[in-house]
Amino acid sequence: MQNDHFQPHDHARCISTALDAAERFCAAQGLRLTPVRKRTLEILLSEHRALGAYDILAKLDADGFGSQPPVAYRALDFLTANGFAHKVEALNAYVACTHPGAEHAPAFLICRSCGVVEEAEAAPDKGPLARAAREAGFAIERAVVEAQGTCPACRSAHP
Amino acid sequence: MQNDHFQPHDHARCISTALDAAERFCAAQGLRLTPVRKRTLEILLSEHRALGAYDILAKLDADGFGSQPPVAYRALDFLTANGFAHKVEALNAYVACTHPGAEHAPAFLICRSCGVVEEAEAAPDKGPLARAAREAGFAIERAVVEAQGTCPACRSAHP
DNA sequence: ACATAAATGATATAACATTACACATCAACC
DNA sequence: GGTTGATGTGTAATGTTATATCATTTATGT
Ligand SMILES: [Zn+2]
Ligand SMILES: [Zn+2]
Ligand SMILES: [Zn+2]
Ligand SMILES: [Zn+2]
């Protein structure tokens, strides 16, 4: 794994890299990274945790944006549609993407103890699921791959 | 794949096999497959689709059981805790298990068109996710593996 | 029969998400 | 520069999924 966000790391770099990638991508594609959208991405980027839509909404409201659910959901729709964030289905929560820009099928390692969500590559054409799909003649369009467990940092802290 | 529930099949056999397995397992483990729980399992078994908790609740209510959400959620908790049913996270809905009794890590193929959910084995120690987890030193406790796409029956119907 | 534990009934509330409509902003064109 | 249509935002209302709590009933073991 090239990055391991369970361990201490230069997180300011995570933030600036992702923000920068989003800005470039939007400029290149003619997408509008408006203030609410950018702020929502910044909120998600602040930690490697999944945040609920209403947590995000509260922060947006505090920052002077709207206070109603669609404010958060619309920004999240934009971010997820363009690959800057993902929804973690097992948590009904949202996390910033750590592989921004590139097309990819995300998989997640979710620590139950500290809440950190690490993104990995799902490799949709490999693994047991892909094999089952081929055998059944099933055409996969989207895959949700989310593992819950304990990260190395938490395990060494509570042995 | 030994079973393929996207195709027509002897579904009465699916039902009786699963119900029978649940009854045996409960008898062997001293678990109580009470009327609400059994009826909930029958409702889930009626189709190879995922049903929302409130859909189930409506049927339980119609059958003279309680009408309040905990009635359905408690029955679903029992069924999922004992492996007779699973929650499909991507749909916030529940499906009967087709591998009842045995310990297993389920994976799902979900057809967007007809709604059929086929259960496969996730093989939690294989595949890209398991590899990423090993590299990160992450201990997986539970895995959510759900593929959405189109089944062979729907693809041949709408080519 | 009694004590204990497990399950159920019922009320309320929390958490997550969408629809609908009015208004503002922006880009493109004349 | 003003018009126009498309896109984005603010807000109210509502829909959907899930849990907390407490009283009551039912099963279990002695
Ligand atoms: Zn970081
Ligand atoms: Zn952790
Ligand atoms: Zn069947
Ligand atoms: Zn289908």
PDB file of all heavy atoms in Angstrom, chain A residues 81-99:
ATOM      1  N   ALA A  81     -20.325  12.117  -7.715  1.00  0.00           N
ATOM      2  CA  ALA A  81     -20.477  11.894  -9.155  1.00  0.00           C
ATOM      3  C   ALA A  81     -19.163  12.099  -9.891  1.00  0.00           C
ATOM      4  O   ALA A  81     -18.901  11.445 -10.900  1.00  0.00           O
ATOM      5  CB  ALA A  81     -21.543  12.837  -9.720  1.00  0.00           C
ATOM      6  N   ASN A  82     -18.333  12.999  -9.368  1.00  0.00           N
ATOM      7  CA  ASN A  82     -17.073  13.284 -10.045  1.00  0.00           C
ATOM      8  C   ASN A  82     -15.855  12.627  -9.409  1.00  0.00           C
ATOM      9  O   ASN A  82     -14.718  12.931  -9.762  1.00  0.00           O
ATOM     10  CB  ASN A  82     -16.898  14.798 -10.140  1.00  0.00           C
ATOM     11  CG  ASN A  82     -17.953  15.418 -11.022  1.00  0.00           C
ATOM     12  OD1 ASN A  82     -17.961  15.197 -12.225  1.00  0.00           O
ATOM     13  ND2 ASN A  82     -18.893  16.132 -10.429  1.00  0.00           N
ATOM     14  N   GLY A  83     -16.123  11.732  -8.460  1.00  0.00           N
ATOM     15  CA  GLY A  83     -15.025  10.936  -7.920  1.00  0.00           C
ATOM     16  C   GLY A  83     -14.167  11.641  -6.882  1.00  0.00           C
ATOM     17  O   GLY A  83     -13.079  11.168  -6.557  1.00  0.00           O
ATOM     18  N   PHE A  84     -14.644  12.758  -6.318  1.00  0.00           N
ATOM     19  CA  PHE A  84     -13.865  13.454  -5.289  1.00  0.00           C
ATOM     20  C   PHE A  84     -14.209  12.932  -3.896  1.00  0.00           C
ATOM     21  O   PHE A  84     -13.486  13.195  -2.927  1.00  0.00           O
ATOM     22  CB  PHE A  84     -14.145  14.956  -5.328  1.00  0.00           C
ATOM     23  CG  PHE A  84     -13.915  15.570  -6.671  1.00  0.00           C
ATOM     24  CD1 PHE A  84     -14.769  16.542  -7.168  1.00  0.00           C
ATOM     25  CD2 PHE A  84     -12.834  15.174  -7.461  1.00  0.00           C
ATOM     26  CE1 PHE A  84     -14.553  17.108  -8.416  1.00  0.00           C
ATOM     27  CE2 PHE A  84     -12.618  15.734  -8.707  1.00  0.00           C
ATOM     28  CZ  PHE A  84     -13.484  16.704  -9.183  1.00  0.00           C
ATOM     29  N   ALA A  85     -15.304  12.227  -3.798  1.00  0.00           N
ATOM     30  CA  ALA A  85     -15.708  11.632  -2.524  1.00  0.00           C
ATOM     31  C   ALA A  85     -16.479  10.358  -2.815  1.00  0.00           C
ATOM     32  O   ALA A  85     -16.903  10.120  -3.951  1.00  0.00           O
ATOM     33  CB  ALA A  85     -16.580  12.611  -1.728  1.00  0.00           C
ATOM     34  N   HIS A  86     -16.636   9.543  -1.782  1.00  0.00           N
ATOM     35  CA  HIS A  86     -17.383   8.297  -1.929  1.00  0.00           C
ATOM     36  C   HIS A  86     -18.370   8.166  -0.776  1.00  0.00           C
ATOM     37  O   HIS A  86     -18.125   8.682   0.319  1.00  0.00           O
ATOM     38  CB  HIS A  86     -16.430   7.100  -1.893  1.00  0.00           C
ATOM     39  CG  HIS A  86     -15.352   7.146  -2.906  1.00  0.00           C
ATOM     40  ND1 HIS A  86     -15.590   7.039  -4.263  1.00  0.00           N
ATOM     41  CD2 HIS A  86     -14.008   7.301  -2.775  1.00  0.00           C
ATOM     42  CE1 HIS A  86     -14.439   7.121  -4.916  1.00  0.00           C
ATOM     43  NE2 HIS A  86     -13.456   7.287  -4.038  1.00  0.00           N
ATOM     44  N   LYS A  87     -19.429   7.428  -1.027  1.00  0.00           N
ATOM     45  CA  LYS A  87     -20.324   7.071   0.065  1.00  0.00           C
ATOM     46  C   LYS A  87     -19.887   5.726   0.621  1.00  0.00           C
ATOM     47  O   LYS A  87     -19.625   4.791  -0.143  1.00  0.00           O
ATOM     48  CB  LYS A  87     -21.773   6.972  -0.431  1.00  0.00           C
ATOM     49  CG  LYS A  87     -22.716   6.606   0.697  1.00  0.00           C
ATOM     50  CD  LYS A  87     -24.169   6.674   0.288  1.00  0.00           C
ATOM     51  CE  LYS A  87     -25.059   6.443   1.512  1.00  0.00           C
ATOM     52  NZ  LYS A  87     -26.477   6.377   1.162  1.00  0.00           N
ATOM     53  N   VAL A  88     -19.822   5.635   1.936  1.00  0.00           N
ATOM     54  CA  VAL A  88     -19.552   4.355   2.590  1.00  0.00           C
ATOM     55  C   VAL A  88     -20.911   3.779   2.992  1.00  0.00           C
ATOM     56  O   VAL A  88     -21.541   4.261   3.939  1.00  0.00           O
ATOM     57  CB  VAL A  88     -18.645   4.534   3.819  1.00  0.00           C
ATOM     58  CG1 VAL A  88     -18.343   3.179   4.455  1.00  0.00           C
ATOM     59  CG2 VAL A  88     -17.357   5.237   3.434  1.00  0.00           C
ATOM     60  N   GLU A  89     -21.344   2.777   2.264  1.00  0.00           N
ATOM     61  CA  GLU A  89     -22.715   2.273   2.439  1.00  0.00           C
ATOM     62  C   GLU A  89     -22.943   1.671   3.815  1.00  0.00           C
ATOM     63  O   GLU A  89     -24.017   1.818   4.390  1.00  0.00           O
ATOM     64  CB  GLU A  89     -23.039   1.226   1.365  1.00  0.00           C
ATOM     65  CG  GLU A  89     -23.051   1.764  -0.049  1.00  0.00           C
ATOM     66  CD  GLU A  89     -24.241   2.666  -0.362  1.00  0.00           C
ATOM     67  OE1 GLU A  89     -25.154   2.757   0.477  1.00  0.00           O
ATOM     68  OE2 GLU A  89     -24.232   3.287  -1.438  1.00  0.00           O
ATOM     69  N   ALA A  90     -21.940   1.012   4.330  1.00  0.00           N
ATOM     70  CA  ALA A  90     -22.108   0.341   5.622  1.00  0.00           C
ATOM     71  C   ALA A  90     -22.283   1.341   6.760  1.00  0.00           C
ATOM     72  O   ALA A  90     -22.746   0.976   7.842  1.00  0.00           O
ATOM     73  CB  ALA A  90     -20.923  -0.575   5.902  1.00  0.00           C
ATOM     74  N   LEU A  91     -21.913   2.586   6.535  1.00  0.00           N
ATOM     75  CA  LEU A  91     -22.011   3.611   7.575  1.00  0.00           C
ATOM     76  C   LEU A  91     -23.027   4.695   7.229  1.00  0.00           C
ATOM     77  O   LEU A  91     -23.261   5.593   8.040  1.00  0.00           O
ATOM     78  CB  LEU A  91     -20.644   4.273   7.793  1.00  0.00           C
ATOM     79  CG  LEU A  91     -19.467   3.356   8.129  1.00  0.00           C
ATOM     80  CD1 LEU A  91     -18.170   4.172   8.226  1.00  0.00           C
ATOM     81  CD2 LEU A  91     -19.713   2.616   9.433  1.00  0.00           C
ATOM     82  N   ASN A  92     -23.586   4.659   6.050  1.00  0.00           N
ATOM     83  CA  ASN A  92     -24.403   5.768   5.558  1.00  0.00           C
ATOM     84  C   ASN A  92     -23.670   7.081   5.795  1.00  0.00           C
ATOM     85  O   ASN A  92     -24.206   8.011   6.406  1.00  0.00           O
ATOM     86  CB  ASN A  92     -25.781   5.786   6.232  1.00  0.00           C
ATOM     87  CG  ASN A  92     -26.649   4.637   5.794  1.00  0.00           C
ATOM     88  OD1 ASN A  92     -26.619   4.241   4.642  1.00  0.00           O
ATOM     89  ND2 ASN A  92     -27.387   4.073   6.720  1.00  0.00           N
ATOM     90  N   ALA A  93     -22.444   7.120   5.316  1.00  0.00           N
ATOM     91  CA  ALA A  93     -21.613   8.303   5.548  1.00  0.00           C
ATOM     92  C   ALA A  93     -20.666   8.478   4.365  1.00  0.00           C
ATOM     93  O   ALA A  93     -20.575   7.613   3.495  1.00  0.00           O
ATOM     94  CB  ALA A  93     -20.858   8.155   6.857  1.00  0.00           C
ATOM     95  N   TYR A  94     -19.965   9.597   4.366  1.00  0.00           N
ATOM     96  CA  TYR A  94     -19.216  10.015   3.179  1.00  0.00           C
ATOM     97  C   TYR A  94     -17.763  10.296   3.537  1.00  0.00           C
ATOM     98  O   TYR A  94     -17.456  10.786   4.623  1.00  0.00           O
ATOM     99  CB  TYR A  94     -19.872  11.257   2.576  1.00  0.00           C
ATOM    100  CG  TYR A  94     -21.323  11.005   2.230  1.00  0.00           C
ATOM    101  CD1 TYR A  94     -22.321  11.116   3.209  1.00  0.00           C
ATOM    102  CD2 TYR A  94     -21.687  10.597   0.957  1.00  0.00           C
ATOM    103  CE1 TYR A  94     -23.646  10.838   2.913  1.00  0.00           C
ATOM    104  CE2 TYR A  94     -23.018  10.313   0.648  1.00  0.00           C
ATOM    105  CZ  TYR A  94     -23.988  10.442   1.632  1.00  0.00           C
ATOM    106  OH  TYR A  94     -25.295  10.153   1.343  1.00  0.00           O
ATOM    107  N   VAL A  95     -16.894   9.984   2.595  1.00  0.00           N
ATOM    108  CA  VAL A  95     -15.467  10.135   2.842  1.00  0.00           C
ATOM    109  C   VAL A  95     -14.818  10.740   1.603  1.00  0.00           C
ATOM    110  O   VAL A  95     -15.261  10.486   0.485  1.00  0.00           O
ATOM    111  CB  VAL A  95     -14.871   8.743   3.194  1.00  0.00           C
ATOM    112  CG1 VAL A  95     -14.821   7.836   1.982  1.00  0.00           C
ATOM    113  CG2 VAL A  95     -13.516   8.861   3.846  1.00  0.00           C
ATOM    114  N   ALA A  96     -13.801  11.560   1.805  1.00  0.00           N
ATOM    115  CA  ALA A  96     -13.090  12.126   0.662  1.00  0.00           C
ATOM    116  C   ALA A  96     -12.280  11.039  -0.015  1.00  0.00           C
ATOM    117  O   ALA A  96     -11.792  10.108   0.621  1.00  0.00           O
ATOM    118  CB  ALA A  96     -12.163  13.257   1.125  1.00  0.00           C
ATOM    119  N   CYS A  97     -12.158  11.171  -1.310  1.00  0.00           N
ATOM    120  CA  CYS A  97     -11.379  10.198  -2.077  1.00  0.00           C
ATOM    121  C   CYS A  97      -9.894  10.497  -1.912  1.00  0.00           C
ATOM    122  O   CYS A  97      -9.485  11.654  -1.865  1.00  0.00           O
ATOM    123  CB  CYS A  97     -11.749  10.294  -3.542  1.00  0.00           C
ATOM    124  SG  CYS A  97     -10.787   9.195  -4.585  1.00  0.00           S
ATOM    125  N   THR A  98      -9.114   9.434  -1.819  1.00  0.00           N
ATOM    126  CA  THR A  98      -7.667   9.629  -1.702  1.00  0.00           C
ATOM    127  C   THR A  98      -6.943   9.270  -2.998  1.00  0.00           C
ATOM    128  O   THR A  98      -5.719   9.275  -3.026  1.00  0.00           O
ATOM    129  CB  THR A  98      -7.092   8.794  -0.538  1.00  0.00           C
ATOM    130  OG1 THR A  98      -7.489   7.435  -0.700  1.00  0.00           O
ATOM    131  CG2 THR A  98      -7.595   9.319   0.797  1.00  0.00           C
ATOM    132  N   HIS A  99      -7.715   8.938  -4.035  1.00  0.00           N
ATOM    133  CA  HIS A  99      -7.116   8.675  -5.354  1.00  0.00           C
ATOM    134  C   HIS A  99      -7.741   9.617  -6.372  1.00  0.00           C
ATOM    135  O   HIS A  99      -8.235   9.162  -7.395  1.00  0.00           O
ATOM    136  CB  HIS A  99      -7.410   7.243  -5.829  1.00  0.00           C
ATOM    137  CG  HIS A  99      -6.967   6.174  -4.904  1.00  0.00           C
ATOM    138  ND1 HIS A  99      -7.447   4.885  -5.010  1.00  0.00           N
ATOM    139  CD2 HIS A  99      -6.108   6.173  -3.881  1.00  0.00           C
ATOM    140  CE1 HIS A  99      -6.889   4.143  -4.072  1.00  0.00           C
ATOM    141  NE2 HIS A  99      -6.070   4.897  -3.374  1.00  0.00           N
TER     142      HIS A  99
END
